[in-house]
Amino acid sequence: MSHTLVSLACHAYGIAAVAYLAYLVRQSDALAMAGRVLVGGGLVLHGVALFELLGAQSGRPVGMAQGFSTLAFLLLAIFLALDVRYRRPVIGAFLTPLAVTVLIPGLLMHGGQSPLPPGVRQPLLPLHITLALLGLAAFAVAAGVGVMYLLMERQVRAKRFGLLFSRLPSLEFLDTLNRRLVVWGFIALSITLATGAFFVATTVGWQWDGKSIATVVAWAVFAALVNARIFAGWRGRRVALLTMAGFCLVLVSFLTSYDVTTSTAAALRIP
């Protein structure tokens, strides 16, 4: 049942992506509203499916398929909240295709996970996993906003005001939105690192593998970025580029965090 609901949600997201891409070419309130309704309806179906899956896999590690599915859900939830708050549906042309791309592998993957050992089933583990995925989703949206900023900035610098210039939000708005998303993502990543270090230290012991290094480096990049914005007044192009680089590092950490074996360490090391 949950797989069917996620499949229906994916179809709704796909149609919404078409609507938002059409909005990028021809601004229409009907297209924007259609996109919002489709994303909202898809999120309802998707949320029910994730809730059912959570109950069915109680006491088991989060697999790659569920991780992709949850990431797509959170990414679109953040986008819809931003769209409702700021009325900038054009952002959907960049984020809904990304979410569908993330969700499709989750639909295609199958296979269950072995139960977690009793010592690993700690109350903070669900919080750790949720914050990890929420932070990754926030960084994904921030990276998408960064891409939009670079496209807009390129047209401004070249003084070639084409279709994107008339459709995309202002550079100031994109820069401010990027800052807010990075701050919230950084907070989530910091809490994730702290809880993850606690879980690993009390179970399998800390190990400096590629995933751990990527996560710490990503945290350092975003820490430097947040501080540079606050104390050095950094804005614009280099901030967008650093956001995208940091997201790539967090994504590498996410992709190397899962193992469909019974390894306890793999079940714990979600960035």
Side-chain angles (χ1 to χ4, degrees):
M1 181 63 178
S2 61
H3 187 273
T4 301
L5 290 176
V6 175
S7 180
L8 290 173
C10 186
H11 282 80
Y13 298 151
I15 299 173
V18 173
Y20 282 120
L21 288 170
Y23 181 87
L24 181 62
V25 177
R26 181 179 181 276
Q27 289 186 330
S28 166
D29 291 340
L31 288 172
M33 182 57 65
R36 293 187 188 108
V37 171
L38 286 165
V39 170
L43 286 173
V44 172
L45 295 174
H46 202 166
V48 172
L50 289 175
F51 184 78
E52 288 184 358
L53 191 60
L54 180 64
Q57 293 189 346
S58 179
R60 296 178 183 272
V62 177
M64 180 67 86
Q66 187 178 351
F68 274 124
S69 182
T70 306
L71 176 59
F73 175 84
L74 293 173
L75 193 160
L76 285 171
I78 293 174
F79 157 68
L80 186 60
L82 293 175
D83 188 21
V84 172
R85 171 66 176 83
Y86 296 109
R87 297 294 175 177
R88 296 290 194 278
V90 70
I91 300 176
F94 294 83
L95 295 183
T96 49
L98 173 62
V100 173
T101 302
V102 170
L103 181 56
I104 288 176
L107 282 171
L108 298 178
M109 292 177 182
H110 297 282
Q113 293 79 41
S114 299
L116 290 171
V120 178
R121 300 175 193 172
Q122 303 184 36
L124 288 178
L125 184 58
L127 175 64
H128 169 78
I129 296 172
T130 301
L131 284 175
L133 293 172
L134 184 59
L136 181 58
F139 288 138
V141 177
V145 172
V147 171
M148 296 172 65
Y149 184 95
L150 293 176
L151 291 173
M152 187 70 164
E153 191 254 2
R154 181 179 180 181
Q155 291 209 351
V156 171
R157 292 182 64 180
K159 296 183 179 179
R160 295 178 180 175
F161 306 119
L163 176 67
L164 290 178
F165 181 82
S166 62
R167 297 291 189 266
L168 296 182
S170 68
L171 290 175
E172 182 179 359
F173 173 83
L174 292 172
D175 187 72
T176 300
L177 184 58
N178 173 279
R179 173 176 56 80
R180 293 173 179 173
L181 289 165
V182 166
V183 167
W184 284 110
F186 177 70
I187 292 172
L189 180 60
S190 299
I191 299 175
T192 300
L193 273 177
T195 55
F198 171 77
F199 288 135
V200 172
T202 56
T203 54
V204 297
W206 185 265
Q207 297 178 0
W208 283 101
D209 53 12
K211 178 266 171 187
S212 300
I213 294 174
T215 305
V216 172
V217 172
W219 181 88
V221 168
F222 284 115
L225 181 56
V226 170
N227 279 278
R229 272 189 172 276
I230 295 174
F231 299 107
W234 278 24
R235 300 185 60 178
R237 180 182 179 83
R238 56 184 171 182
V239 169
L241 290 172
L242 280 174
T243 300
M244 295 165 64
F247 168 67
C248 289
L249 288 170
V250 177
L251 184 61
V252 168
S253 178
F254 168 76
L255 293 175
T256 56
S257 294
Y258 292 98
D259 189 343
V260 294
T261 67
T262 58
S263 169
T264 301
L268 287 173
R269 293 175 186 174
I270 300 173

